[in-house]
């Protein structure tokens, strides 16, 4: 049995530690109407304070290891009997006005699934593998180390960049539930920036340029009315809090201190994974406690899950040491047989995943209705 969570809304309204512009609804907090972003932040705070962690999966209901495009399916649901509490979606492609994202997920289907996830009490998060606004090459083309500089200094590039952000902002601001109310979501832009594999990476721009990228993104999103966002900052693995915060855009611009740390090398890689989680999620936790923010394990996973007990013996002990409100594993590609991060019926980590689901510390979609 998992412990039910008492609605902590009123208590949390006065005590919730998360603040800043992302939940800039101090005025609404004084009225009866709590903004969607504020409401989401209170729910994440409730989960974290209760010592629980929500499980999340990228692109969960739109394709799986052996299927694509079906309705009502999910590898997680078919394995553990429940949808994930958090679904991650990628906006990559929206900045070009494309109908589908870079992994062929149609944005209208995505919208419908976001609404469905919200209706079942779950949470939606967005990552964004955007093309660059200089020549439109994808996120991973990082040989040109002038992209962010050009966004700042070249008026034509700056205008293209603003248009890219506007397209994403309109999609997010337009996510509404059946009653027409905006759905609170998490946005995690310019992620893994401590690495050097995206055009916004550590070798591709200076700390000041990176901060500008972030604050300008935020400014445009606000201008477009995308106020239903909690902003997640998510460095890749770092050695300490100084590196974690080196490119931090500022307390006004961030709500969630995240960490993206993957497990490589199966059994042999366990120690180094745990050490990297400790360093990075530890830094996120320290920064969050100093700044009054939320903490999340924003991206992780072991590709192909070739360890039968990974969920219960590696991931759960690793994440349980920290007040992370959620942990997200990456996608189950239908067109790359070895590229999956959640199990499916018959996958070797299935039993461990079921135990992970049943563990009192984890939260999947069904239990989300107890979390206000
Ligand atoms: C990567 C891989 C790619 C995918 C990209 C964006 O980690 O999964 O196949 O296109 O993320 O989702």
């Amino acid at each position: 049995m998992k412990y039910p969570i008492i609605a902590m809304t009123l208590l949390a309204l006065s005590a919730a530690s998360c603040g800043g512009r992302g939940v800039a609804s101090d005025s609404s907090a004084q009225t009866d109407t709590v903004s969607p972003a504020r409401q989401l932040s209170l729910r994440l705070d409730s989960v974290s304070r209760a010592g629980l962690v929500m499980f999340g999966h990228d692109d969960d209901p739109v394709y799986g290891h052996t299927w694509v495009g079906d309705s009502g399916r999910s590898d997680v649901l078919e394995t553990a009997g429940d949808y994930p509490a958090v679904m991650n979606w990628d906006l990559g492609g929206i900045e070009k006005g494309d109908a589908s994202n870079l992994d062929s997920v149609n944005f209208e289907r995505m919208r419908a699934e976001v609404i469905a996830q919200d209706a079942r009490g779950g949470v939606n998060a967005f990552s964004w593998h955007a093309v660059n606004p200089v020549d439109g090459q994808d996120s991973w083309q990082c040989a040109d180390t002038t992209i962010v500089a050009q966004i700042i200094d070249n008026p034509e590039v700056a205008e293209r960049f603003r248009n890219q952000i506007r397209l994403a902002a309109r999609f997010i601001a337009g996510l509404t539930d059946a009653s027409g109310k905006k759905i609170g979501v998490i946005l995690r832009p310019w992620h893994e920036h401590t690495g050097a594999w995206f055009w916004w990476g550590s070798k591709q721009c200076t700390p000041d340029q990176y901060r500008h990228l972030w604050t300008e993104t935020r400014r445009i999103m606000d201008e477009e009315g995308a106020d239903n966002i909690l902003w997640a900052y998510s460095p890749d693995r770092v050695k300490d809090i100084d590196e974690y915060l080196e490119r931090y855009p500022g307390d006004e611009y961030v709500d969630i201190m995240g960490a993206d740390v993957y497990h490589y090398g199966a059994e042999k890689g366990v120690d180094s994974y745990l050490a990297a989680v400790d360093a990075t999620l530890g830094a996120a936790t320290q920064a969050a406690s100093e700044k009054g923010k939320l903490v999340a394990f924003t991206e992780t996973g072991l590709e192909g899950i070739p360890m039968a007990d990974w969920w219960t013996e590696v991931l759960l002990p690793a994440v349980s040491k920290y007040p992370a409100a959620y942990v997200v594993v990456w996608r189950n590609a239908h067109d790359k047989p070895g590229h999956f991060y959640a199990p499916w019926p018959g996958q070797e980590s299935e039993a461990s995943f079921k135990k992970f689901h049943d563990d009192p510390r984890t939260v999947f979609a069904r239990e989300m209705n107890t979390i206000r």
Side-chain angles (χ1 to χ4, degrees), residues 58-59 63 90 101-103 127 129 140 262 299 330-331 333 335-336 339 341:
D58 184 62
D59 282 350
Y63 57 81
D90 201 279
N101 83 353
L102 75 172
D103 298 317
S127 50
H129 290 89
W140 293 267
Y262 278 83
E299 244 189 78
W330 203 238
R331 67 200 197 101
D335 52 355
K336 297 182 189 173
H339 191 55
Y341 294 86

Side-chain angles (χ1 to χ4, degrees), residues 1-5 52 355 357-362 367 370:
M1 263 296 285
K2 300 188 180 187
Y3 8 8
I5 294 183
L52 306 178
K355 272 169 74 185
H357 168 269
D358 294 344
D359 192 284
R361 288 165 290 182
T362 60
E367 204 180 347
T370 65

Side-chain angles (χ1 to χ4, degrees), residues 94 111 162-176 182 220-221 223-226 228-229:
I94 206 154
R111 178 196 305 281
R162 282 194 287 275
N163 282 330
Q164 292 185 332
I165 307 295
R166 284 183 193 123
L167 288 169
R170 285 169 201 160
F171 180 78
I172 292 175
L175 295 170
T176 51
K182 278 184 195 159
I220 300 160
M221 288 273 180
E223 204 172 80
E224 292 293 324
N228 48 328
I229 297 175

Side-chain angles (χ1 to χ4, degrees), residues 237 261-278 300-302 306-318 321:
R237 52 178 71 197
V261 178
Y262 278 83
H263 180 165
Y264 301 104
E267 292 281 0
K268 285 195 179 125
V270 169
D271 289 347
S272 96
Y273 174 65
L274 296 178
V277 172
D278 280 340
T300 191
L302 169 63
M307 282 180 70
D309 57 1
W310 190 74
W311 301 96
T312 38
E313 300 308 311
V314 181
L315 181 62
L316 190 55
K321 288 161 74 177

